[in-house]
Amino acid sequence: MSIFRELAAAVQVGTGKMDLPRSGHLNGYVSDSREREILVELGALELMRRAGTTGRQVASYPQPFPETRRIAHGAPLDETRTVDGGVLLEWIQEATRRGFVAPPEALPGLLSERKSYRAFIAPVLGERGRWLAELMEIEVDENPTRDLDAVRTSLQNDYDLLSFHERAEKIERLGRDPQPEDEPIFTRAFSDRRREVREAALEPLLRFPDSLPARELRAIAERAIVAKKSFLGTSLTIIPPEPESLPKWLPRTEVNPRMGPAAVALHDVACYVPPEVWSRAVGMSPRELLDRARRTNFLFALYGAWEQAADRFGGQGWIDAFFSAPSPENWYSTVNLVPLVSEALFESTMIERIKRRDFDGLSRRGRTLSPTLSRAVVEAVSLLEHPRYDLTNVALELHPSVLPLIVKPWADTHIEFQESWRKIVDLRARMLNSLE
Amino acid sequence: MAEWSVDQVLELAPDAASVSSGRDLASPSKWQSTGANGEAVWGEAKGSGTKPYQTVVARQDGASKCSCPSRKFPCKHALGLLLCLAQGEVPEGDVPVWASDWLEKRGQRETAKAERPERQTTPRSTEKRWSNVLKGLDECEAFMHDAVRGGLLAMSSVRNWDEMAAQMVDAQAPGVARRLRRIGETVGVGPEWGSKAAAELGSLSLLVQAARNIEALEEGFQNDVRAAIGIPTRKEDLPEGNGLVDVWDVVGEVIEIADQLQTSRSWLRGRGTGRWALHVAFAPTYGARLARLIPGQSFAAEARFFSSAWPLRAHLEEISYEAHVPRDSKTPVPGDFAFGSGTTWAEALAETARALAANPWTEWLPVHLRDATLGFQEDRWFAVDAEGIGFPLRWRQTEVNLLGRTGNAPSNLFGEFDGRELRLASAWGEWGVLER
């Protein structure tokens, strides 16, 4: 062991507990304190080490293969962050069609900051983009179907040969779009020795109604909710499960002051049960159940959990119910179901809201609004005393066909809106020019 | 009225994520209302709550106040608002009460500061300060000896080190405080923590001994000891006749934010002399625009070096931009961005050894590698020179951006080196220029 390491080890343990011989490196140095001697020697050795460092032989990371497709030099992909409106997606489609790839300077941003677009960017990454994705450990599905077949085959045939990391990763990938034939794979993974593999298998397995965990949670949920019919109507009784009785594999939430242990137990079960289980158990529609839940002591536990479950397991009836039902007081949703709401319901609900000058939800749809809805917005805004704010906030979602309606008659109030549109038009033009 | 360009606004951003977030808000459609006058620009931005965030920015120096909960400074709202201003998208208006209150209080503070008599440094006050420092160093040494005697394993609580660091701040030795906090963050964390902590303790112990014997040291070295302790240098301390006139290229810059202070270290290289110079600027995090030099700038100036055993830090006078070379990060400008010829690690390490021999507390030294690439070994990225020798990099977004731009083709790399790792600040080549 080098002198430095010996001294460093002594300092870790405590020089009072060890008897260190003097190394003789600092023969000229005299001190009345052994600790001072040790520290000065360490300082001198560290200085010599820093001054004498030589580095190490390191091979350069291999460069990517040369690009075979055309590079869209100058494409202002960074600017798409400030406009949205599908400009980037449109460019990706067009670039793919014409055989272009993204310019090098845009690749890091495309890979690390545009997570919501990862499912679409593969065709425009090119050799350098795929190379960069690999070293950043970012997965980009170039051919999702083909890749998943390979994952499936690997898990079916080579399960025992895979490391637990590989198993967990492949289970997680397969779980994004599980097929009926995948149930045995997830069942096997659910009883794996390693926790990481079991956790990866739980959620996809819960989507199979006859799987063991799904049946177990369903039974708990069905016992937890009782509907009683009387001449006054149907009342709901919630009997939360005992926290200690919950399966050990169920992900648990920390108990917080807003919800006691019983409510948290109920919430944790409800998060992982398809919401229609509850409505079937009591013979109520999702909307009725949401209304009834308000009269129980478990409103927040159930509301939050059902919303998560709707997002997790789908169920158009529930998604639409959440959208059309008024939110409870002091309720703050962390799940955004607006993009999933059925088209007809969204349109009819928003047209009524727009008439009341309530535009909330329009921009959260995440895509261009229908011409009908867009016209309704423009007409409602025209009646506002100060239309500028509301119009510019939904500018990016309005259907292009309504632009002529906005040019007049509010010449003095539509300027910011026109600016937003002008930016989009300009950006689109520059994006497409990069593909010439 | 101070005008802002987009580049100047983006330079205020504390990190790359803030640049991106600020750009997201650089559109009038993201603001409920905006306005500007000669003194300030203000706006109300939609946030996640029901109330909009209120942001006001002083046009003169970029100081800002925002009601958002972000701890970054300036926050993304201030950046977005300034970007709107720079893009000419903020109308003139009457300042609202919530903004004028802040501006008024700020004005009162500035007036009070201006009226405060300037503190003169007299020999007696210098002596008193030094006496405080020495007393503090005695306490620090006693603390270090206790730590060493009892063992660092028993001192893994950061609080121990933070408390002693606070005492060093009281003793007017902030440089020592910083080192103690750094040691506290190292103890018990990560592999090799024992060696790292022991090395830092040793270095600090040497500093304490040097401070005690400062009278026996040469003047330049005395200044290095004072600088390492944290006693600020002043323009008045610049020795006469120590200036070097040259055309200086700003090669790279590192910005740090700690203890409510922003520090910019800009590294310059003289075209005629090849000499390195370090320009340091400070600004409080709550306030003014940091007076930075932007990488890629070039100007003629006289650099007056502060007295040191290894002079690096300089004050710039008589700056003339006639020799300015325009900077465009997308346009490759080979030759004009030569910044000298660059070195290999062997040459840089020889220089490092000389610097450390002269001033053992030199923290960062400039290293410009030519024909360098990045390598990957043992889970870390390395800066590899043309001879295959590498040193670890502090991996941040800059390296990802570099790999995206270059595909790891040989390039010029510039960074700060501390004898252990390289902090990359800029890179350039035929593909263009990349900074931070």
Side-chain angles (χ1 to χ4, degrees), chain A residues 4-5 8 11-17 33 35-36 39-40 42-44 46-47 49-51 53-61 63-64 81-82 104-105 108 112-113 128 131-132 135-136 332 389 392-393 416 420 423, chain B residues 20 23-24 26 28-29 32 46 89 141 145 148-153 192-195 199 202 205-206 209 349 353 360 362 373-375 377-378 381 384 388-391 400-401 403-409 418-420:
Chain A
F4 179 86
R5 284 197 181 275
V11 161
Q12 281 184 75
V13 170
T15 56
K17 300 170 188 143
S33 159
E35 285 76 29
R36 187 179 293 132
L39 285 175
V40 165
L42 276 168
E46 169 61 10
L47 182 59
R49 193 202 61 76
R50 275 178 79 199
T53 190
T54 53
R56 60 164 94 173
Q57 281 286 337
V58 179
S60 284
Y61 193 82
Q63 293 181 23
R81 277 194 223 109
T82 62
E105 63 271 14
S112 59
E113 292 170 47
R128 188 175 294 187
W131 171 83
L132 199 61
L135 67 87
M136 290 168 72
Y332 178 69
Y389 161 64
T392 55
N393 271 281
E416 284 187 29
S420 295
K423 270 189 186 169
Chain B
S20 168
R23 279 199 174 130
D24 282 348
S29 65
Q32 182 170 327
K46 259 191 132 177
E89 289 168 334
E141 192 180 45
H145 289 182
V148 162
R149 202 176 301 115
L152 293 182
L153 283 166
E192 302 286 336
W193 70 263
S195 295
S205 184
L206 285 180
Q209 311 319 314
L349 292 173
T362 306
T373 57
L374 300 195
Q377 201 179 86
E378 291 172 16
W381 284 93
V384 183
I389 300 296
F391 269 88
V400 172
N401 292 343
L403 288 169
R405 294 287 294 275
T406 67
N408 212 23
D418 66 354
R420 302 177 197 94

Side-chain angles (χ1 to χ4, degrees), chain B residues 328-348:
Chain B
D328 177 348
S329 65
K330 294 193 173 89
T331 306
V333 191
D336 282 341
F337 277 86
F339 295 146
S341 51
T343 65
T344 60
W345 271 118
E347 291 158 323

Side-chain angles (χ1 to χ4, degrees), chain B residues 13 25 69 75 81 119 136 190 225 236 271 283-284 296 316 368:
Chain B
L25 291 168
C75 68
L81 195 54
R119 202 182 303 175
V225 170
E236 295 73 24
R271 280 200 199 170
L316 300 171
H368 164 198

Side-chain angles (χ1 to χ4, degrees), chain B residues 44-123:
Chain B
E44 290 181 302
K46 259 191 132 177
S48 52
T50 49
K51 278 186 72 176
Y53 294 129
Q54 294 175 328
T55 314
V56 55
V57 184
R59 287 175 83 151
Q60 182 59 37
D61 55 12
S64 62
K65 181 169 166 52
C66 183
S67 59
C68 76
S70 170
R71 291 164 70 180
K72 288 190 187 179
F73 188 87
C75 68
K76 63 183 182 183
H77 301 102
L79 290 169
L81 195 54
L82 274 175
L83 284 171
C84 287
L85 181 71
Q87 289 160 182
E89 289 168 334
V90 178
E92 295 284 318
D94 294 326
V95 58
V97 171
W98 55 264
S100 66
D101 279 348
W102 178 75
L103 289 167
E104 201 178 304
K105 280 186 191 142
R106 194 161 177 265
Q108 286 166 0
R109 271 202 303 271
E110 296 292 317
T111 307
K113 196 171 154 187
E115 288 171 359
R116 203 183 303 146
E118 204 177 292
R119 202 182 303 175
Q120 299 288 334
T121 310
T122 63

Side-chain angles (χ1 to χ4, degrees), chain A residues 2 7 9 26 29 34 53 72 151 169 191 231 239 271 277 290 321 328 358 366 374 389 405 413 417 425 431:
Chain A
S2 70
L7 291 174
L26 301 175
Y29 178 69
R34 184 72 183 114
T53 190
V151 166
E169 190 192 47
S191 54
F231 68 94
I239 310 163
C271 278
V277 165
L290 285 175
D358 177 3
S374 301
Y389 161 64
L405 297 176
T413 54
F417 177 82
V425 168
M431 295 277 279

